[in-house]
Amino acid sequence: MTRTLSESLPAHGIHADVLCTGLRGAYPAVARPYTVYRCAAGLRFGGNKSLSWDYVRTLARLQSQYDVALVHLPNPLAAAALLACWTKPIVALWHADTPQPAVRAGTAWLDRALIRRVSAVIAPTPVHLHASHHAALLAAKGIVIAFPVDPQRPPS
């Protein structure tokens, strides 16, 4: 979803870059209409969750270049970083609840705090909003916009 949005938004006059964790230099150089800022992940947990001071520092440094943050949730690192240093509007893309009960129990407070802070929450279906552990919070800010799918694009 992040790739599809980042590639399609420029056609609507919106510049969108990507901030993520990952191994620098471990990805092939690809011409893109956006920049990918890859931050070193200091600690990984819960499958695809990570902690990274580099991510927080990079987000704070980049804030002056952007009008809004679009964050894919759940993402404890992004939630903590945005709550710590982002002062501009935030829009959340709600993918699903964290599937691991222990990780969800430990990070749900970050999800709740960020949901309270965001301007809107976009979910691909009503079920994503209403079946969530955070349904009460999501209902007030949630809107449904289906996943953008380009059937012509090969899988990444």
Side-chain angles (χ1 to χ4, degrees), residues 3-145:
R3 177 179 164 192
T4 302
L5 286 170
S6 298
E7 290 176 351
S8 62
L9 287 172
H12 302 281
I14 300 169
H15 177 81
D17 291 328
V18 176
L19 176 63
C20 61
T21 58
L23 300 173
R24 291 183 185 159
Y27 303 90
V30 176
R32 304 173 196 267
Y34 57 94
T35 301
V36 177
Y37 296 95
R38 294 191 193 280
C39 301
L43 172 69
R44 292 203 178 273
F45 64 97
N48 63 349
K49 307 289 185 266
S50 61
L51 297 176
S52 168
W53 288 115
D54 187 31
Y55 184 99
V56 177
R57 285 189 299 267
T58 302
L59 178 70
R61 179 177 51 84
L62 293 173
Q63 181 171 198
S64 65
Q65 300 176 38
Y66 300 90
D67 298 321
V68 64
L70 178 65
V71 60
H72 186 263
L73 295 176
N75 181 334
L77 173 60
L82 287 164
L83 289 166
C85 65
W86 193 264
T87 60
K88 296 179 180 182
I90 303 168
V91 174
L93 300 172
W94 188 258
H95 181 85
D97 285 11
T98 300
Q100 304 93 343
V103 175
R104 185 174 57 242
T107 62
W109 67 275
L110 281 169
D111 293 334
R112 288 190 300 272
L114 190 60
I115 292 167
R116 287 185 189 102
R117 164 79 169 75
V118 302
S119 301
V121 177
I122 300 169
T125 71
V127 173
H128 284 81
L129 296 172
H130 304 302
S132 170
H133 287 86
H134 305 295
L137 289 172
L138 294 171
K141 296 183 179 192
I143 60 170
V144 175
I145 300 175

